[in-house]
Amino acid sequence: MAATKSKQPGRIKSAIAGSLAGWLGQTIKLTDSAFWSAWFGGRNFTGKTVTVNSALQLSTVWACVRLISETLSTLPMNLYRDDGDAKVVAKEHDLHRLLHSMPNADMTASVFWQIFLASMLLWGAAYVEIRRNNRGNIISLDLLLPDLITARRLSSGVIEWKYRNPVTKVARTINESDMWFTPAFTTDGLSVLSPIRMGANVMGAAIAADEASARTFTDGMAPAGVITMDTVLKDKQRDDIRAHVKKVSAEGGVYVLEKGAGFQQLTMNPQDAELISTRSFNVEEICRWFRLDPSLVGHGGKDSNWGTGLEQKMIWMVTLALRPLAVRIEQSVWKNLLTPAERLKYSAEFVLEGLLRGDSAARAAFYGAMTDKGIMTRDECRKKENLPAKGGNADVLTVQSQMIPLDKIGMDKDSEAARNAINDWLSGNDKDPKDET
């Protein structure tokens, strides 16, 4: 009997696998942990099913993913070519147009990078199929759904990618050279660690807290009361009293109670009803998984959401959350989308200075510092503001020269000429300098 019970879950899972395999048009094995994890959701202590869709219903997860993916996706991605000691935008290269403007026929660059980053944040990696023409040039970059991809390394060392078409449900093999794979966090370069799967306990607790809060608002914030009586009632009498109280609560009026009955309405502390402390802690926990400060997703007091404190947190976000992802993507472009010969002179970069676009004061200070220190010309700054070049001295590097060594003060040509004139007058070799005027 015990053996029969122990085999029952396996039989049920096998039956589910068989029916799903017929529906999906491919073989699903009981050892396919990636599929079963995605299908049943991450395991957690609360028993809640945690999937990407259920996690995104948490406002904190939604806010963190949107903040990172939308912020970085709005920055220009340029392909640069080495030109001596400098780098210039390689507009002549077809890959620049794909990365900067339109990666495929269905998406602009902003939409493409937003989906790309959301896949990294939610599934742990982004997968893109590389389309080439007959000459081997890349003509399109097509995003793939991460939950429909499986990978394994063959004995030859080659990675075999399989993708199940979401429409036809038919799996096909994609060559390693045609797959652009970018993991967000990995331990071996191929297996990815999804924040949703690894953080299932935190996400599940947050989902359970939301459900508990919803039930509390539904049942507890408009509580019924307690009828106290000095006698034992029959079932019919109890039903009549409940019906009367329900009618008065819904339609208004006056409670009519008999035989010394008393009515006491139940009350509940709104803070307890909203589970503020628990839900607040869940916000902080989820933000840790995405390396964001809670105040950046609207959680925190006024002291943490204003002034220089918020400015430092913005720097934190750029340094610790955006830049690691940007560098990982840039290096992935260099490795997967460029030929060995092109890697010697081409590279791709997100223009993080684009974050200054919404801050005119910071942008002006940046341009001022760059021109005063001779790093950029006025025309280069005008170009970044989409203004026409002025030419002439506007295209000349300049530098502020007030600061000079102490022993050089007064040693410029005018000062030296004046000093020589005074010395000549004192020696009688020249006229009074005042007469020269």
Side-chain angles (χ1 to χ4, degrees), residues 158-195:
V158 176
I159 301 175
E160 180 185 73
W161 298 94
K162 285 189 177 295
Y163 181 64
R164 190 173 67 253
N165 189 291
V167 178
T168 63
K169 313 301 180 184
V170 176
R172 61 185 176 87
T173 301
I174 300 178
N175 295 329
E176 184 177 3
S177 60
D178 294 332
M179 175 64 78
W180 175 17
F181 166 63
T182 308
F185 187 78
T186 178
T187 56
D188 61 4
L190 183 59
S191 301
V192 296
L193 301 178
S194 164

XYZ file of all heavy atoms in Angstrom, residues 158-195:
308
model
N 30.002 22.027 -28.072
C 29.058 22.948 -28.701
C 27.779 23.013 -27.874
O 27.314 21.991 -27.344
C 28.748 22.504 -30.147
C 27.700 23.402 -30.779
C 30.026 22.513 -30.973
N 27.189 24.200 -27.778
C 25.928 24.373 -27.058
C 24.778 24.189 -28.038
O 24.738 24.857 -29.079
C 25.844 25.758 -26.396
C 26.998 25.945 -25.408
C 24.508 25.934 -25.692
C 27.054 27.319 -24.806
N 23.853 23.299 -27.707
C 22.681 23.065 -28.542
C 21.487 23.801 -27.931
O 21.092 23.536 -26.797
C 22.374 21.565 -28.632
C 21.166 21.244 -29.499
C 20.811 19.770 -29.479
O 20.288 19.299 -28.437
O 21.065 19.088 -30.486
N 20.938 24.718 -28.700
C 19.784 25.499 -28.247
C 18.524 24.967 -28.912
O 18.512 24.720 -30.110
C 19.955 26.977 -28.600
C 21.137 27.631 -27.958
C 22.389 27.780 -28.482
C 21.183 28.217 -26.653
N 23.210 28.425 -27.603
C 22.495 28.711 -26.460
C 20.247 28.385 -25.638
C 22.881 29.357 -25.293
C 20.636 29.013 -24.464
C 21.941 29.499 -24.304
N 17.472 24.809 -28.136
C 16.173 24.415 -28.670
C 15.137 25.455 -28.266
O 15.080 25.868 -27.103
C 15.754 23.030 -28.174
C 16.508 21.882 -28.843
C 15.913 20.543 -28.477
C 16.625 19.406 -29.217
N 16.399 19.497 -30.672
N 14.329 25.856 -29.239
C 13.307 26.870 -28.998
C 11.953 26.352 -29.456
O 11.810 25.909 -30.592
C 13.655 28.165 -29.741
C 12.641 29.277 -29.518
C 12.451 29.822 -28.251
C 11.888 29.777 -30.575
C 11.539 30.841 -28.045
C 10.976 30.796 -30.377
C 10.794 31.324 -29.107
O 9.890 32.327 -28.897
N 10.987 26.408 -28.553
C 9.643 25.952 -28.866
C 8.816 27.129 -29.354
O 8.581 28.087 -28.620
C 9.004 25.322 -27.626
C 7.697 24.604 -27.909
C 7.197 23.859 -26.686
N 6.807 24.751 -25.613
C 7.467 24.950 -24.489
N 8.619 24.332 -24.298
N 7.031 25.766 -23.556
N 8.392 27.071 -30.608
C 7.636 28.167 -31.202
C 6.343 28.388 -30.429
O 5.575 27.447 -30.210
C 7.332 27.856 -32.673
C 6.748 29.054 -33.386
O 5.631 29.477 -33.126
N 7.504 29.605 -34.321
N 6.061 29.624 -29.966
C 4.865 29.867 -29.164
C 3.561 29.713 -29.944
O 2.494 29.562 -29.347
C 5.055 31.315 -28.686
C 5.957 31.935 -29.694
C 6.870 30.840 -30.158
N 3.628 29.734 -31.272
C 2.414 29.614 -32.094
C 2.204 28.181 -32.555
O 1.148 27.584 -32.341
C 2.487 30.576 -33.308
C 1.249 30.415 -34.184
C 2.634 32.018 -32.833
N 3.220 27.608 -33.176
C 3.086 26.249 -33.725
C 3.343 25.172 -32.682
O 3.016 24.005 -32.906
C 4.061 26.067 -34.893
O 5.417 26.194 -34.411
C 3.822 27.118 -35.972
N 3.941 25.536 -31.553
C 4.288 24.592 -30.477
C 5.317 23.559 -30.913
O 5.453 22.509 -30.285
C 3.031 23.869 -29.955
C 1.850 24.771 -29.663
C 2.205 25.820 -28.641
C 0.996 26.718 -28.356
N 1.331 27.821 -27.439
N 6.032 23.816 -31.976
C 7.036 22.888 -32.496
C 8.417 23.387 -32.090
O 8.727 24.573 -32.248
C 6.938 22.763 -34.028
C 8.056 21.867 -34.564
C 5.573 22.210 -34.419
N 9.238 22.477 -31.578
C 10.593 22.840 -31.163
C 11.552 22.729 -32.334
O 11.432 21.839 -33.166
C 11.054 21.938 -30.022
N 12.499 23.651 -32.393
C 13.522 23.624 -33.431
C 14.874 23.917 -32.795
O 14.961 24.514 -31.723
C 13.225 24.629 -34.536
C 13.175 26.081 -34.071
C 12.747 27.004 -35.208
N 12.598 28.381 -34.776
C 13.572 29.282 -34.740
N 14.794 28.917 -35.145
N 13.359 30.507 -34.333
N 15.921 23.505 -33.470
C 17.283 23.705 -32.983
C 17.871 24.969 -33.592
O 17.725 25.221 -34.788
C 18.164 22.492 -33.329
O 17.597 21.316 -32.732
C 19.579 22.681 -32.809
N 18.531 25.746 -32.769
C 19.191 26.977 -33.219
C 20.691 26.787 -33.047
O 21.169 26.396 -31.974
C 18.714 28.194 -32.419
C 17.200 28.383 -32.578
C 19.453 29.456 -32.855
C 16.637 29.539 -31.765
N 21.443 27.069 -34.103
C 22.899 26.940 -34.048
C 23.483 27.904 -33.015
O 22.963 29.007 -32.799
C 23.521 27.210 -35.422
C 23.112 26.172 -36.447
O 22.872 25.006 -36.112
N 23.022 26.587 -37.702
N 24.570 27.480 -32.422
C 25.213 28.322 -31.414
C 25.640 29.660 -32.003
O 25.559 30.702 -31.335
C 26.424 27.596 -30.833
C 27.114 28.355 -29.710
C 28.260 27.596 -29.103
O 28.562 26.485 -29.605
O 28.870 28.099 -28.138
N 26.060 29.673 -33.268
C 26.498 30.916 -33.901
C 25.347 31.871 -34.176
O 25.569 33.060 -34.419
C 27.222 30.606 -35.215
O 26.369 29.912 -36.109
N 24.113 31.354 -34.141
C 22.939 32.191 -34.409
C 22.194 32.580 -33.141
O 21.107 33.158 -33.222
C 21.973 31.457 -35.349
C 22.570 31.237 -36.736
O 23.411 32.050 -37.145
O 22.203 30.239 -37.389
N 22.748 32.254 -31.988
C 22.104 32.590 -30.724
C 22.932 33.632 -29.986
O 24.132 33.463 -29.753
C 21.936 31.344 -29.849
C 21.390 31.626 -28.456
S 19.696 32.293 -28.455
C 18.770 30.783 -28.750
N 22.284 34.722 -29.636
C 22.913 35.752 -28.811
C 22.376 35.585 -27.398
O 21.239 35.914 -27.109
C 22.607 37.129 -29.382
C 23.113 38.269 -28.553
C 24.047 38.224 -27.563
C 22.713 39.643 -28.647
N 24.262 39.461 -27.031
C 23.451 40.354 -27.674
C 21.816 40.331 -29.456
C 23.291 41.718 -27.497
C 21.665 41.693 -29.276
C 22.404 42.383 -28.309
N 23.220 35.046 -26.526
C 22.833 34.700 -25.161
C 23.549 35.625 -24.193
O 24.774 35.723 -24.200
C 23.189 33.233 -24.890
C 23.144 32.834 -23.443
C 21.964 32.879 -22.729
C 24.299 32.410 -22.789
C 21.921 32.511 -21.392
C 24.273 32.024 -21.466
C 23.077 32.076 -20.767
N 22.778 36.317 -23.329
C 23.349 37.249 -22.363
C 22.788 36.951 -20.981
O 21.639 37.294 -20.688
C 23.037 38.710 -22.732
O 23.425 38.963 -24.090
C 23.771 39.670 -21.813
N 23.545 36.289 -20.114
C 23.050 35.995 -18.755
C 23.187 37.207 -17.849
O 24.110 38.014 -17.999
C 23.960 34.856 -18.295
C 25.244 35.097 -19.025
C 24.866 35.703 -20.361
N 22.257 37.328 -16.912
C 22.349 38.401 -15.919
C 23.228 37.984 -14.754
O 24.068 38.744 -14.289
C 20.950 38.773 -15.414
N 23.030 36.751 -14.281
C 23.866 36.223 -13.214
C 23.954 34.719 -13.412
O 22.941 34.041 -13.564
C 23.262 36.536 -11.837
C 24.171 36.171 -10.691
C 25.232 36.994 -10.351
C 23.969 35.013 -9.966
C 26.083 36.659 -9.307
C 24.805 34.676 -8.914
C 25.864 35.504 -8.579
N 25.160 34.203 -13.437
C 25.368 32.795 -13.726
C 26.550 32.281 -12.927
O 27.424 33.059 -12.520
C 25.602 32.575 -15.231
O 25.840 31.189 -15.485
C 26.771 33.402 -15.729
N 26.579 30.974 -12.718
C 27.685 30.354 -11.988
C 28.612 29.555 -12.886
O 29.704 29.179 -12.465
C 27.140 29.434 -10.879
O 26.256 28.462 -11.457
C 26.395 30.240 -9.834
N 28.162 29.270 -14.117
C 29.011 28.492 -15.024
C 29.010 29.020 -16.453
O 29.584 28.405 -17.336
C 28.587 27.025 -15.016
C 27.143 26.825 -15.474
O 26.496 27.820 -15.865
O 26.663 25.675 -15.441
N 28.365 30.147 -16.689
C 28.333 30.728 -18.023
C 27.174 30.261 -18.872
O 26.874 30.887 -19.895
N 26.481 29.193 -18.478
C 25.356 28.671 -19.256
C 24.075 28.609 -18.431
O 23.025 29.050 -18.873
C 25.691 27.285 -19.810
C 24.629 26.632 -20.709
C 24.343 27.514 -21.925
C 25.085 25.246 -21.153
N 24.171 28.061 -17.217
C 23.007 28.012 -16.329
C 22.773 29.392 -15.739
O 23.718 30.057 -15.292
C 23.229 26.992 -15.202
O 23.463 25.703 -15.734
N 21.515 29.824 -15.744
C 21.194 31.168 -15.243
C 20.414 31.046 -13.940
O 19.700 30.068 -13.708
C 20.379 31.970 -16.283
C 21.202 32.192 -17.528
C 19.071 31.275 -16.622
N 20.571 32.049 -13.090
C 19.871 32.101 -11.813
C 18.849 33.226 -11.884
O 19.208 34.403 -11.896
C 20.863 32.332 -10.669
C 21.963 31.274 -10.520
C 22.899 31.641 -9.377
C 21.359 29.896 -10.292
N 17.593 32.867 -11.948
C 16.523 33.843 -12.059
C 16.199 34.440 -10.695
O 16.031 33.699 -9.721
C 15.274 33.175 -12.639
O 14.126 33.964 -12.440
N 16.093 35.762 -10.585
C 15.704 36.368 -9.308
C 14.333 35.895 -8.837
O 14.105 35.767 -7.635
C 15.692 37.868 -9.629
C 16.562 38.024 -10.823
C 16.396 36.771 -11.610
